[in-house]
Amino acid sequence: MSKITKIEIQKRNKNRVNVYIDEEFSFACDMELVYKFGLNKDSVINMDELREVLKEEEYISCKNSALRVLEKTYKTEKEIVKKLKDKEYSEEAISRTLEFLTKYDFINDNRYASMFARDKVKTQGKNNIKYKLIQKGVSEDIIMDVLGSLSDDDEYDTALNLCTKKYNILLKSNSDKNVVKQKLFRFMLSKGYDYNLCNKIVKKVLNIDIWE
């Protein structure tokens, strides 16, 4: 049986300790685990107990890593999982972390998608928003609900504004109506607006000009 021969508080982080077993450094862990598992100098520890401590230490590290990410910017579940996998946390630690984050509402794909869509609709169409949310791992049901809640009038007004600005820029270097029309149409499609809306907006913008 192995024995804990020393537990020392880390100099740079008073919330963590270094644990020595049989006079040799064995592992570092959160101070919380010292109390949770009753770790004391001269106490005997077997391999099963050691594995449990290390498993719990990994979970705490994984959870704290996720919380640090979420302090900076909101993320979807898929994005958080990717970041944790990149740090090579175990599936069990990641699963427990997701359970914690969901329980305390740190991650919520529905809320994220709604916030994301309301922000992006100011500069792009629903097709682009849908594609980006799919990439972020948001479910199709959530995406459709969120896109359905967006105002068609707001999307139309934004599209008209973008198209008008692009039109004024194109006029400075193009005098051919067909060339301008094609470039405007491609531009609006690239912004994620559907074909019918692009056609409607481009026609309206061109009709404003003396060409009509």
Side-chain angles (χ1 to χ4, degrees), residues 116-163:
F116 182 88
R118 287 200 303 270
D119 178 58
K120 297 302 180 183
V121 77
K122 300 173 185 176
T123 58
Q124 55 196 274
K126 293 180 181 179
N127 288 342
N128 274 11
I129 295 172
K130 178 180 179 180
Y131 175 72
K132 290 176 180 178
L133 286 175
I134 289 174
Q135 286 186 311
K136 291 174 177 291
V138 179
S139 72
E140 186 173 348
D141 287 343
I142 291 177
I143 293 174
M144 297 311 295
D145 285 344
V146 167
L147 293 181
S149 69
L150 297 177
S151 167
D152 290 337
D153 290 339
D154 288 346
E155 184 184 32
Y156 177 88
D157 291 341
T158 299
L160 180 59
N161 184 49
L162 287 173
C163 191

Side-chain angles (χ1 to χ4, degrees), residues 70 74 99-109 111:
L70 292 169
Y74 207 60
E99 184 178 342
F100 168 83
L101 296 176
T102 301
K103 179 179 179 180
Y104 292 99
D105 208 29
F106 286 106
I107 54 173
N108 183 317
D109 281 3
R111 182 175 62 209

Side-chain angles (χ1 to χ4, degrees), residues 29-41:
C29 70
D30 194 279
M31 179 73 79
E32 173 188 339
L33 300 184
V34 173
Y35 302 108
K36 180 175 182 177
F37 289 94
L39 304 179
N40 295 293
K41 181 183 177 182

Side-chain angles (χ1 to χ4, degrees), residues 122-128 155-171 174 178-195 197-199 201-202 205:
K122 300 173 185 176
T123 58
Q124 55 196 274
K126 293 180 181 179
N127 288 342
N128 274 11
E155 184 184 32
Y156 177 88
D157 291 341
T158 299
L160 180 59
N161 184 49
L162 287 173
C163 191
T164 301
K165 288 181 178 179
K166 185 66 174 179
Y167 169 67
N168 290 330
I169 293 173
L170 290 173
L171 278 184
N174 294 275
N178 288 326
V179 171
V180 172
K181 181 179 179 180
Q182 290 172 7
K183 288 187 175 182
L184 274 180
F185 201 85
R186 287 197 298 269
F187 171 75
M188 296 306 293
L189 284 175
S190 73
K191 284 293 184 178
Y193 296 102
D194 66 43
Y195 181 89
L197 182 56
C198 288
N199 195 43
I201 291 293
V202 169
V205 170

Side-chain angles (χ1 to χ4, degrees), residues 4-143:
I4 296 175
T5 51
K6 184 180 181 181
I7 298 177
E8 64 176 7
I9 298 174
Q10 293 184 355
K11 293 180 179 179
R12 293 186 178 182
N13 188 343
K14 302 300 182 182
N15 293 318
R16 293 184 62 77
V17 298
N18 296 325
V19 179
Y20 293 76
I21 295 178
D22 297 333
E23 305 297 342
E24 293 185 357
F25 173 77
S26 179
F27 62 91
C29 70
D30 194 279
M31 179 73 79
E32 173 188 339
L33 300 184
V34 173
Y35 302 108
K36 180 175 182 177
F37 289 94
L39 304 179
N40 295 293
K41 181 183 177 182
D42 295 330
S43 62
V44 174
I45 185 169
N46 59 43
M47 289 304 298
D48 288 339
E49 292 170 330
L50 180 57
R51 277 192 287 268
E52 284 301 311
V53 173
L54 295 179
K55 184 188 297 184
E56 198 66 18
E57 165 61 18
E58 184 192 24
Y59 163 61
I60 291 175
S61 175
C62 185
K63 179 177 66 175
N64 289 339
S65 180
L67 290 173
R68 283 193 295 271
V69 171
L70 292 169
E71 282 179 356
K72 299 176 183 177
T73 180
Y74 207 60
K75 297 289 185 183
T76 64
E77 180 176 319
K78 179 182 177 180
E79 290 173 321
I80 286 293
V81 169
K82 183 180 185 306
K83 286 187 175 294
L84 296 178
K85 284 185 175 180
D86 288 345
K87 292 180 179 293
E88 299 184 349
Y89 287 111
S90 68
E91 291 293 335
E92 181 179 347
I94 293 174
S95 178
R96 290 181 64 190
T97 295
L98 290 179
E99 184 178 342
F100 168 83
L101 296 176
T102 301
K103 179 179 179 180
Y104 292 99
D105 208 29
F106 286 106
I107 54 173
N108 183 317
D109 281 3
N110 206 327
R111 182 175 62 209
Y112 178 93
S114 180
M115 292 169 56
F116 182 88
R118 287 200 303 270
D119 178 58
K120 297 302 180 183
V121 77
K122 300 173 185 176
T123 58
Q124 55 196 274
K126 293 180 181 179
N127 288 342
N128 274 11
I129 295 172
K130 178 180 179 180
Y131 175 72
K132 290 176 180 178
L133 286 175
I134 289 174
Q135 286 186 311
K136 291 174 177 291
V138 179
S139 72
E140 186 173 348
D141 287 343
I142 291 177
I143 293 174

